Amino acid sequence: MNGGDDTRNLGAAHRNGNNHHHSAKRPKISLPISESEIREEFSHHEEGVARINNGSFGSCPASVQSAQKNWQLRFLRQPDDFYHNTLSEGVLHSRTIIKGLINADDVEEISLVDNATTAAAIVLQQVGRGFAESRFNPGDSVVMLHCAFQAVKKSIQAYVTRAGGSVVEVELPFPVTSKEEVIDAFRLGLRRGKQDGKTYRLAIIDHITSMPSVVLPVKDLVSICREEGVERVFVDAAHAIGSVKIDVKEIGAEFYVSNLHKWFFCPPSVAFLYCKKFELSKDMRHPVAFQEHGNDLPVGNAWTGTRDYSSQLVVHSAMEFVERFEGGLEGIMARNQRDVVEMGKMLADSWGTNLGSPPEMCASMVMVGLPSRLLITSGDDALRLRSYLRVNYGVEVPIHYQAQSQREEGDGPRDKDGGRITGYARISHQVYNVADDYYKFRDAINELLKKEFTCRMIFTE
């Protein structure tokens, strides 16, 4: 199936909603979900691994995988019928669910894309065209946080700096004790960047930073952008949906993206991109040009050639899964936040360290200080320790190296031994996690300390 001229029909079907959508039959399930059913849903996870890193790749339950397989088979059995009579309505149904979850005004404000990186490319290439077409002045700026996701930084280089734009990088404090710390640092960073008179064309801010992980006061940061004359705001919320409540109208940004495969139980990879309605134009395009290229963004993103669209079609199944839990999605988010903070405090108490942020600035992930005796002195040390824990202890957890900033002036948090804390573990909590996962991590670090292990002892080939 190469699509050919038939792709023109997909846009019409999307706009007219005249296809017939047939849901696959699903087995009967009990409500609320039991512990044994949760274990069965995630029985495909490798045994013996303390998987406390849901934040990196997410997790997909067996029932959603089954629904995905049904969609894949429907395409393989009769691709033409699937394309003409099923795909567009299925995608529209997914977009409609997301519209309700994030309180958008119109389903046309919602597009489905592969991931947050793709969404960033869509927004940033539009900014790049502003420079290329001389609508923006050379040196006008894009603002980003110093802890922005690396792929977003690369996209800024690819689309903005090469076209003549500049970048203002705002450093946020970490560890952090209150949202006011973040607000003050962000406002100061914006004002410093404006001293040369440049115009801020776009600000990219996180809802939940990835590494280190902190829930930011995103509504306040958007308001500061307005006060400081930033034209438009793009919120990179890769970790948000399924982790924190989202209200795009209350947040007030022009663009908002979140991955559905991290905390919303969809298979990889799928994300939604919200574009405030007055921002929608044919100038907003997928970075890969297909026959729908140049149409409205939701239509242009809906058909990007022959590929597996099943991850975009199982949003309904993921929603059915979360509704099996007490309190639905809100209940899951509340329990994950409660449990990850509890486990983070348990680890910090055991190691004599600290948490990287207060509980109200944590969602389903929390940063836990690691003992100074491990001698984590670089990003390479952090990576090697992560691999060492995976191979030797069956613990999967990201490690963050926290370089000393000028702001700390030789100080910063210290552990019970008086050493400065330079390494943090980012632990996640999802519905499949149990306390033993975190005890296993605790015991692994304590055993390493007992052996007087340091990162210098890890050799690489």
Side-chain angles (χ1 to χ4, degrees), residues 14 50 61 75 80 83 93 102-103 122 130 158-159 195 246 273 280 324 344 370 389 392 425 430 437 440 443-444:
H14 250 274
F75 167 75
D80 292 274
Y83 161 68
H93 184 46
I102 68 172
N103 194 30
I122 290 171
Y159 294 110
Q195 288 176 353
I246 301 171
L273 171 61
L280 287 171
R324 294 167 64 187
L370 290 166
L389 289 167
N392 294 280
Q430 188 51 289
D437 294 332
K440 187 173 185 176
D443 295 344

Side-chain angles (χ1 to χ4, degrees), residues 21-33:
H21 174 61
H22 305 287
S23 298
K25 291 183 179 179
R26 297 178 177 87
K28 291 183 179 180
I29 53 179
S30 62
L31 294 172
I33 192 169

